[in-house]
Amino acid sequence: MLYPLSYEGQDQKLYRATDDTPRAVLREVFGYEAFRGEQAEIIDHVTGGGSAFVLMPTGGGKSLCYQVPAIVRHRAGLGVTIVVSPLIALMQDQVNALETAGVHAAFLNSSLSRTGSQQVETRLRAGELSILYAAPERVTQEGFLYQLDRLVDTSGLSLFAIDEAHCVSHWGHDFRAEYLKLALLADRYPTVPRVALTATADEQTREDIVERLRLESARRFIASFDRPNIRYTVVERTKAQPQLVDFMKSHRGEAGIVYCSTRKKVETVTGWLLAAGVPALPYHAGLDQHTRSVNQDVFALNDGIVIVATIAFGMGIDKAEVRFIAHLDLPKNIESYYQETGRAGRDGLPAETWMVYGLGDVVQQRRLIAENTAQAEWKRIQRHKLDALLALVETHTCRRVELLSYFGEESKPCGNCDNCLDPPTTWDATEAARKALSSVIRVRHGGGRAVAYGFAYHIELLVGKRSERVIANRHDELSTFGIGTDLSEEQWRAVFRRLIALGVLEAQGEYGTLALTDEAGPVLRGEQPILLREVTPSRKRSRRRR
Ligand code: ADP
Ligand code: ZN
């Protein structure tokens, strides 16, 4: 056995020529000339038998961080690397790519037949495999562990790579219970190095991963999350269709992805784009497998195709020249937003991300969390994540600073987001916010049927609109009726949106009836300044940017 491996100095001449170094493997197997960013350091560390926690944004090149060490260590006689991944669809792709490059690789998951599994296990026992991908539930099965035990004494168990490591954390956006069991690998194979990798982890999730996977003494590699070539823009929704079509004008002939929250919306929006002469294809889980893969291929292989999709689309998409990502609905949280927008500009050339959002999104997201039957702890985490996302969309300072700070990274105003390029003017809504809250209090305590008093209703009251329902409830007699005629309905919507975003107001029940929360005190007393951006027509802004 050639252990420990060394790549510095003359030692390596004693080994099997230079083609066993990580750099040689990079060139020979993957066809790349140089490592990117921290890859070199990570790969040296892991190849040398060190454990590691790797946080690297999507597209940063995480796979090589375990594939190269796996190949080098297998060649050195140290045995197989087990890659734990929850993404069954990706395993097949990765294994195909590796096999094509001449690396012995295989996967074990529920998609294999019994005979298929047995064949893989035979290759595993024979020590033939450099890399074996396996789903977490498989890796933690006693039967499988028993096979690994035997490998330790025979052909070797070289390395564990735990991909998508955030799945081990409740704080992560994709918790999977089977991941918790992976902690047993530390006890059962104390001498086998482990590398955990993820693209998305805020500070809390990071600590969780390290603790739960027992990686306290592993070296941490945290790559920057900044994607400087991506421009971030968030606009308020006035009318989504013309806003989207207008945005697309500056992306004629370019490839992009438009994300929507529902299948139905995907179909509708595809229609909008086709009507505007944009070559668009739908993608969602309701389409049959054939249509989906055809649409995905057409997108991947051609220039200038726009995919309109639910978040079902994107995993395993490796198209470098995606020029824009548009969100027509709020993503679930910043992790999702970052991951989805991160599919733009992988080639390093300028790319644009654009999102419209409105009050309805905020109300709906809050309600989805409130009405979920999950435990209070889960709800608390989801609320916290939504708050962070809302802070990002509502901010009038640099979006990149806000985004990176979520991932624990400090930065300076970027000059490449809407707020940097076109600093919004703000107005002081502190007084308006107090009026809005007063209206909610008056209505709740002022009799009438306690239904359907959502923000739209309160806006009618504030601007003094004697609508049928206002008269029926005799709410035109409230002291707060008409106290907000100085502002437009649009401005009032912005006030309510901020109050809901801040968690000061809560939309309850089927009709989104508004109520004050415990957080309302400081706003009601005028102690918490509320600054809102001046409403600028989106047309003007997008033209100025070109
Ligand atoms: P991640 O898993 O971090 O999202 P991948 O491992 O899928 O990223 O890598 C993203 C893309 O970058 C892939 O196409 C990969 O082949 C490519 N890549 C990774 N490392 C390098 C490198 N050193 N040189 C050139 N291309 C690379
Ligand atoms: Zn900026």
Side-chain angles (χ1 to χ4, degrees), residues 215-504:
L215 286 166
E216 289 88 350
S217 52
R219 219 173 118 184
R220 298 186 188 198
F221 297 89
I222 316 281
S224 171
F225 271 59
D226 191 14
R227 300 283 309 278
N229 60 315
I230 295 183
R231 174 173 300 178
Y232 299 97
T233 299
V234 181
V235 301
E236 285 147 34
R237 183 185 300 114
T238 46
K239 271 206 157 63
Q241 182 171 4
Q243 283 179 298
L244 176 65
V245 170
D246 191 48
F247 165 72
M248 302 283 292
K249 279 185 190 146
S250 52
H251 293 284
R252 282 267 169 212
E254 295 176 352
I257 307 172
V258 178
Y259 281 111
C260 304
S261 59
T262 62
R263 299 171 186 187
K264 190 157 166 264
K265 194 155 174 186
V266 165
E267 298 291 345
T268 311
V269 172
T270 309
W272 294 352
L273 293 182
L274 291 174
V278 176
L281 291 169
Y283 188 102
H284 57 70
L287 295 169
D288 63 83
Q289 177 62 39
H290 177 72
T291 312
R292 265 187 290 166
S293 64
V294 167
N295 289 1
Q296 176 162 336
D297 288 348
V298 171
F299 174 74
L301 301 172
N302 293 277
D303 291 335
I305 303 292
V306 175
I307 282 276
V308 185
T310 58
I311 51 168
F313 182 77
M315 238 147 22
I317 294 297
D318 201 11
K319 188 178 174 73
E321 60 277 11
V322 176
R323 289 274 69 79
F324 67 89
I325 304 285
H327 278 94
L328 286 185
D329 295 293
L330 268 189
K332 248 189 5 220
N333 47 45
I334 291 190
E335 286 92 339
S336 309
Y337 176 70
Y338 184 82
Q339 194 141 33
E340 285 148 27
T341 54
R343 294 180 179 129
R346 296 246 185 125
D347 53 6
L349 297 172
E352 192 169 14
T353 67
W354 179 88
M355 171 159 76
V356 279
Y357 87 108
L359 185 46
D361 294 324
V362 182
V363 170
Q364 191 194 354
Q365 294 269 14
R366 286 245 183 262
R367 193 177 315 149
L368 282 177
I369 295 172
E371 287 168 6
N372 196 297
T373 52
Q375 291 174 351
E377 167 74 355
W378 182 89
K379 291 191 182 191
R380 194 174 62 77
I381 294 169
Q382 298 310 313
R383 268 199 300 273
H384 165 83
K385 286 178 178 285
L386 179 57
D387 288 345
L389 176 68
L390 294 175
L392 173 68
V393 300
E394 288 271 327
T395 185
H396 20 79
T397 60
C398 178
R399 305 237 187 242
R400 194 179 311 269
V401 167
E402 186 81 32
L403 187 62
L404 293 178
S405 87
Y406 182 78
F407 295 112
E409 211 174 314
E410 268 180 49
S411 62
K412 296 212 166 63
C414 71
N416 193 23
C417 73
D418 52 352
N419 289 345
C420 282
L421 291 165
D422 195 1
T425 41
T426 53
W427 60 284
D428 186 346
T430 314
E431 207 41 45
R434 298 179 65 190
K435 289 181 183 172
L437 294 185
S438 304
S439 177
V440 174
I441 293 172
R442 283 285 159 273
V443 166
R444 284 188 79 83
H445 300 291
R449 291 163 301 129
V451 291
Y453 300 143
F455 62 85
Y457 185 74
H458 286 286
I459 293 174
E460 286 178 9
L461 293 180
L462 287 159
V463 302
K465 209 184 234 173
R466 288 202 161 73
S467 67
E468 243 172 70
R469 53 182 180 171
V470 167
I471 299 203
N473 291 319
R474 297 178 52 186
H475 279 164
D476 52 341
E477 294 169 14
L478 294 175
S479 60
T480 46
F481 182 77
I483 56 169
T485 48
D486 52 328
L487 300 181
S488 68
E489 292 190 20
E490 197 168 1
Q491 284 174 309
W492 278 119
R493 268 200 298 278
V495 173
F496 279 103
R497 197 178 56 231
R498 175 63 63 84
L499 290 172
I500 293 170
L502 285 173
V504 164

Side-chain angles (χ1 to χ4, degrees), residues 51-53 162 194-196 209-220:
S51 288
F53 169 66
I162 302 167
R194 288 169 300 133
V195 51
I209 294 172
V210 166
E211 190 182 318
R212 293 182 180 205
L213 292 179
R214 312 272 315 272
L215 286 166
E216 289 88 350
S217 52
R219 219 173 118 184
R220 298 186 188 198

